[in-house]
């Protein structure tokens, strides 16, 4: 199993550009989520999905959009990039049955810089 | 609202010595507590969790954590540190969301540096 994969690993955008961060998992996990990691702030939840066709907002959803058309994929779209979105983005997945008590599996991250 | 505090930004320890990385939490109801580790340029990896039962939880790589309800703490420990343990450690508490999702609330992280 590849686990959770993310592409690209690095990206530089200009303010106002849009892009999609890709996330895929091959563990047949129902639950997937996106976090951003900023220095001194830990990780914060952006959006999550409990299954194909179902998404919901986390604590910092503004400026981001998600969709979940398949169990495997959960892309994160930046609609109009802003410097405040410079961060490291992590995708995670876990089994739906264990979603509160089970561990989440994290991808390697995408380091995004917005100039 | 739930929260997690890691009071130390960095912990330095000599190889072979015991290590402790501190975590305190604030939740309503039963806490579901986790420790994750992040190596440079990598994603987070699960170390251990406390759900219920024995207050001493054993995890990966020789790590363990002690749950203390009266002190609302969940400190990470290892009897003998290795240089390879040097990494960023996150404490987290889990919350079920009304939409059926799950949110991990993370502490700000503690950088562990183990020196020869």
């Amino acid at each position: 199993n590849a686990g959770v994969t993310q592409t690209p690993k690095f990206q530089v955008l200009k303010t106002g550009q849009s892009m999609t961060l890709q996330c895929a998992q091959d563990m047949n996990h129902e639950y997937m989520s996106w976090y951003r990691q900023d220095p001194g702030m830990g990780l914060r939840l952006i959006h999550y999905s409990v299954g194909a066709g179902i998404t919901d907002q986390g604590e910092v959803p503004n400026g981001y959009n998600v969709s979940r058309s398949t169990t495997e994929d959960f892309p994160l779209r930046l609609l109009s990039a802003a410097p405040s979105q410079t961060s490291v983005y992590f995708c995670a997945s876990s089994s739906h049955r264990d979603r509160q008590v089970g561990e989440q599996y994290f991808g390697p991250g995408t380091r995004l810089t917005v100039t | 609202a739930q929260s997690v505090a890691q009071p130390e930004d960095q912990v330095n320890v000599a190889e072979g010595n015991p290590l402790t990385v501190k975590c305190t939490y604030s939740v309503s109801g039963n806490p579901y507590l986790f420790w994750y580790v992040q190596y440079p340029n990598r994603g987070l990896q699960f170390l251990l969790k406390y759900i219920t039962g024995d207050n001493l939880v054993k995890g990966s790589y020789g790590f363990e954590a002690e749950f203390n309800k009266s002190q609302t703490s969940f400190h990470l420990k290892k009897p003998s540190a290795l240089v390879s343990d040097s990494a960023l450690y996150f404490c987290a508490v889990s919350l079920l969301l009304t939409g059926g999702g799950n949110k991990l609330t993370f502490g700000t992280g503690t950088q562990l540096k183990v020196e020869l």
Side-chain angles (χ1 to χ4, degrees):
Chain A
N1 285 351
V4 180
T5 57
Q6 290 183 239
T7 56
K9 290 187 177 180
F10 303 94
Q11 183 70 49
V12 178
L13 291 177
K14 295 186 186 301
T15 297
Q17 287 183 317
S18 63
M19 79 159 295
T20 299
L21 308 185
Q22 300 292 343
C23 174
Q25 53 90 11
D26 61 359
M27 297 173 282
N28 201 32
H29 283 168
E30 294 91 345
Y31 180 78
M32 297 184 73
S33 56
W34 278 101
Y35 292 85
R36 59 177 289 173
Q37 182 181 23
D38 301 292
M41 300 187 73
L43 281 77
R44 293 178 291 168
L45 182 66
I46 305 172
H47 284 287
Y48 66 94
S49 168
V50 298
I54 306 170
T55 64
D56 208 341
Q57 297 181 349
E59 58 185 311
V60 289
N62 292 342
Y64 307 96
N65 203 357
V66 292
S67 60
R68 183 98 179 268
S69 57
T70 67
T71 299
E72 294 78 20
D73 300 300
F74 190 44
L76 177 72
R77 280 182 287 278
L78 280 69
L79 309 173
S80 177
S84 61
Q85 293 178 305
T86 293
S87 187
V88 182
Y89 292 84
F90 289 100
C91 180
S93 73
S94 66
S95 168
H96 192 249
R97 285 174 297 176
D98 295 328
R99 62 189 185 279
Q100 182 164 18
V101 302
E103 59 267 32
Q104 293 197 33
Y105 295 82
F106 285 81
T110 294
R111 188 174 295 273
L112 175 68
T113 301
V114 183
T115 61
Chain B
Q2 61 185 29
S3 65
V4 173
Q6 294 182 243
E8 302 156 316
D9 290 336
Q10 181 160 323
V11 170
N12 297 322
V13 64
E15 188 174 53
N17 284 359
L19 69 87
T20 298
V21 182
K22 296 180 180 177
C23 171
T24 59
Y25 66 90
S26 174
V27 299
S28 55
N30 294 324
Y32 300 110
L33 298 161
F34 296 77
W35 276 101
Y36 285 81
V37 59
Q38 184 180 29
Y39 297 100
N41 301 313
R42 303 285 295 276
L44 279 70
Q45 296 178 31
F46 169 78
L47 271 182
L48 51 80
K49 65 184 177 185
Y50 172 82
I51 304 301
T52 186
D54 195 347
N55 289 343
L56 186 64
V57 179
K58 294 190 183 297
S60 307
Y61 312 121
F63 284 92
E64 57 190 26
E66 187 170 11
F67 172 69
N68 187 316
K69 188 173 183 177
S70 63
Q71 297 186 3
T72 61
S73 66
F74 189 55
H75 301 331
L76 182 70
K77 300 181 179 184
K78 188 174 182 181
S80 179
L82 299 172
V83 172
S84 57
D85 293 329
S86 298
L88 185 58
Y89 290 81
F90 289 97
C91 182
V93 62
S94 177
L95 175 70
L96 267 179
L97 301 171
T98 54
N102 171 45
K103 172 185 171 182
L104 282 174
T105 297
F106 288 89
T108 51
T110 298
Q111 185 69 48
L112 174 66
K113 187 174 182 181
V114 182
E115 300 167 311
L116 290 170

